[in-house]
């Protein structure tokens, strides 16, 4: 029980003994009249301490509001985040410094040339102008009922891209950033070329991630099977993508 | 009157000296202040109702602040510090409101 409640209890006890205090503005005036006494002084001192504490608290809240109110576990999280980031940045810095040192070392520009070639290869793979090879999956969509539309193939492609497929080929068409699917008179067209069932997607990337992404409940495989198609996913240690796009 | 003067002097001193709140006191000071405010408002109400008693005021003031800080401290030890301090603030806030309502009834008769 707190002191204030005790006060209220006493209030009940004394109601009979004492008359009610003065009402209205006169009460306020009576309240302001100074009365000396040990108790009064003690009350004044307490109020002084209270005022001091309020001012101190207000000042300290004004100083730093971002982290002062955060709890310990939040602060630990922030600190861990910062640590990770600085670690990553430091690694980046080391890499760049290595590259810089190499570039400075060979004056003929051998390293620079190698660097540029490497980058050209990467961009060629991404743009689809170079053949590629690597671990991935083969996704075979059989379409006995002619129920597979362009939108389904686009869904399949997007699902593969989301799951981290780096290089994708559909039948004989190498997929690029601007690849489109179109419902034509004789089946689906991709980038202007007619595709015929079964549609065979070859994708290079993490086989496990892509398989999981395709198989999620209510996902692509379920939708395609609902449309009457057969779906077969085969992870491969080596997928060879030979089709290229003209630059 | 003396209390009011004390309050004013305290605020003035605080703003002039700009003291740093010690780290160990930081979580408990705000709660203690709210508790002290509650005691102060309760004291004013008691005074208006003519039942003010210095001893009760001093005891309730000190008791309120210490108990409020103690509850928060205990909460921190138990791992529910933030929830418990919210609870204490809510309870004290309700008490402050009811005390202020009492003061208002005495002063304005409404």
């Amino acid at each position: 029980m707190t002191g204030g409640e005790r006060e209220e209890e006493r209030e009940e006890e004394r109601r009979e003994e004492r008359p009610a205090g003065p009402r209205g503005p006169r009460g306020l005036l009576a309240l302001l009249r100074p009365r000396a006494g040990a108790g009064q002084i003690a009350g004044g001192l307490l109020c002084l301490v209270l005022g001091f504490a309020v001012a101190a608290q207000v000042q300290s809240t004004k100083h730093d509001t971002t982290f002062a109110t955060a709890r310990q576990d939040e602060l630990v999280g922030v600190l861990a985040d910062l640590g990770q980031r600085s670690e990553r940045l430091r690694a980046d810095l080391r890499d760049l410094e290595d590259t810089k040192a190499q570039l400075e070392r060979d004056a003929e520009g051998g390293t620079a040339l190698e660097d540029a070639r490497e980058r050209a290869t990467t961009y060629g793979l991404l743009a689809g102008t170079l053949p590629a090879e690597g671990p991935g999956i083969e996704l075979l969509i059989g379409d006995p009922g002619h129920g597979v539309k362009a939108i389904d193939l686009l869904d399949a492609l997007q699902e593969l891209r989301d799951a981290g497929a780096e290089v994708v080929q559909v039948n004989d068409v190498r997929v690029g950033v601007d690849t489109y699917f179109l419902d034509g008179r004789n089946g689906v067209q991709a980038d202007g070329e007619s595709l015929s069932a079964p549609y065979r997607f070859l994708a290079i990337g993490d086989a496990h991630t892509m398989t999981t992404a395709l198989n999620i409940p209510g996902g692509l495989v379920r939708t395609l099977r609902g449309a009457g198609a057969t779906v077969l996913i085969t992870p491969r240690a080596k997928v060879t993508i030979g089709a290229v796009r003209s630059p | 009157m003396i209390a009011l003067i004390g309050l004013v002097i305290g605020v003035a001193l605080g703003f002039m000296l700009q003291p740093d709140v010690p780290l160990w006191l930081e979580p408990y000071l705000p709660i203690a202040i709210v508790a002290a405010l509650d005691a102060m408002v309760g004291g004013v109400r008691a005074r208006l109702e003519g039942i003010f008693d210095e001893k009760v005021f001093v005891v309730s003031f000190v008791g309120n602040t210490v108990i409020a800080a103690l509850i928060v401290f205990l909460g921190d030890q138990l791992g529910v510090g933030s929830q418990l301090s919210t609870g204490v603030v809510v309870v004290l806030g309700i008490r402050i409101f009811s005390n202020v309502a009492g003061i208002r009834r005495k002063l304005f008769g409404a």
Side-chain angles (χ1 to χ4, degrees):
Chain A
M1 188 194 288
T2 58
E5 279 170 51
R6 225 176 302 155
E7 199 167 284
E8 279 158 27
E9 271 179 23
R10 290 204 184 193
E11 178 187 324
E12 299 295 323
E13 288 166 20
R14 291 182 191 193
R15 192 147 277 171
E16 286 93 40
E17 295 169 23
R18 284 200 200 181
R23 278 181 165 269
R26 267 187 310 122
L28 194 63
L29 285 179
L31 196 68
L32 289 177
R33 201 172 49 233
R35 285 153 298 132
Q40 286 288 313
I41 307 259
L45 277 179
L46 283 179
C47 284
L48 189 143
V49 170
L50 172 62
F52 189 73
V54 168
Q57 180 63 28
V58 167
Q59 289 287 334
S60 79
T61 337
K62 227 182 271 170
H63 281 319
D64 42 0
T65 49
T66 15
F67 294 117
T69 51
R71 298 201 70 74
Q72 200 171 356
D73 39 357
E74 291 170 359
L75 291 175
V76 169
V78 170
L79 189 64
D81 262 12
L82 284 177
Q84 268 176 17
R85 212 166 79 194
S86 86
E87 196 57 47
R88 216 165 40 234
L89 288 175
R90 218 167 283 144
D92 280 0
L93 185 67
R94 259 196 311 275
D95 279 358
L96 289 173
E97 262 167 3
D98 278 357
T99 314
K100 180 166 167 260
Q102 276 176 14
L103 287 173
E104 274 169 358
R105 231 177 293 131
D106 67 339
E108 292 99 72
T111 313
L113 196 62
E114 204 177 296
D115 247 23
R117 276 211 191 97
E118 214 169 273
R119 234 175 304 151
T121 312
T122 312
Y123 292 151
L125 286 176
L126 289 177
T129 55
L130 291 175
E133 212 177 76
I137 61 163
E138 179 186 345
L139 167 66
L140 202 63
I141 303 174
D143 187 16
H146 299 287
V148 178
K149 299 281 174 222
I151 184 81
D152 298 318
L153 297 185
L154 184 66
D155 275 350
L157 177 60
Q158 294 294 25
E159 199 67 66
L160 287 172
R161 276 177 173 157
D162 284 347
E166 288 158 26
V167 181
V168 180
Q169 173 177 341
V170 189
N171 287 6
D172 290 327
V173 178
R174 173 70 171 269
V175 172
V177 281
D178 55 348
T179 295
Y180 62 88
F181 293 98
L182 206 62
D183 283 319
R185 214 166 288 147
N186 355 302
V188 180
Q189 287 187 348
D191 286 351
E193 277 191 51
S194 283
L195 300 180
S196 55
Y199 306 104
R200 187 157 159 269
F201 282 79
L202 293 171
I204 294 180
D206 185 43
H208 179 70
T209 312
M210 289 193 283
T211 312
T212 314
L214 295 174
N215 277 321
I216 53 168
L220 181 86
V221 171
R222 203 55 66 82
T223 315
L224 284 173
R225 287 198 177 131
T230 59
V231 182
L232 188 68
I233 302 171
T234 329
R236 298 243 165 121
K238 197 174 120 183
V239 174
T240 310
I241 291 182
V244 292
R245 298 167 73 82
S246 48
Chain B
M1 188 67 189
I2 292 176
L4 191 66
I5 293 171
L7 194 64
V8 170
I9 293 176
V11 171
L13 268 182
F15 274 108
M16 274 192 303
L17 298 179
Q18 307 221 337
D20 278 327
V21 181
L23 207 59
W24 58 270
L25 199 62
E26 217 156 61
Y28 313 120
L29 189 58
I31 302 291
I33 286 175
V34 176
L37 278 177
D38 170 46
M40 208 182 70
V41 178
V44 172
R45 179 188 178 182
R47 174 78 192 90
L48 279 174
E49 287 173 351
I51 53 167
F52 184 74
D53 184 340
E54 284 91 356
K55 208 179 87 192
V56 174
F57 176 68
V58 170
V59 169
S60 82
F61 189 103
V62 174
N64 267 8
T65 49
V66 168
I67 287 173
L70 218 88
I71 288 176
V72 177
F73 171 75
L74 192 68
D76 267 344
Q77 299 305 308
L78 295 176
V80 288
S82 58
Q83 291 94 320
L84 212 51
S85 45
T86 309
V88 170
V89 167
V90 168
V91 170
L92 290 175
I94 291 172
R95 286 173 51 95
I96 289 176
F97 265 104
S98 69
N99 278 334
V100 168
I103 293 173
R104 194 196 59 216
R105 270 197 290 279
K106 275 287 162 196
L107 280 187
F108 307 115

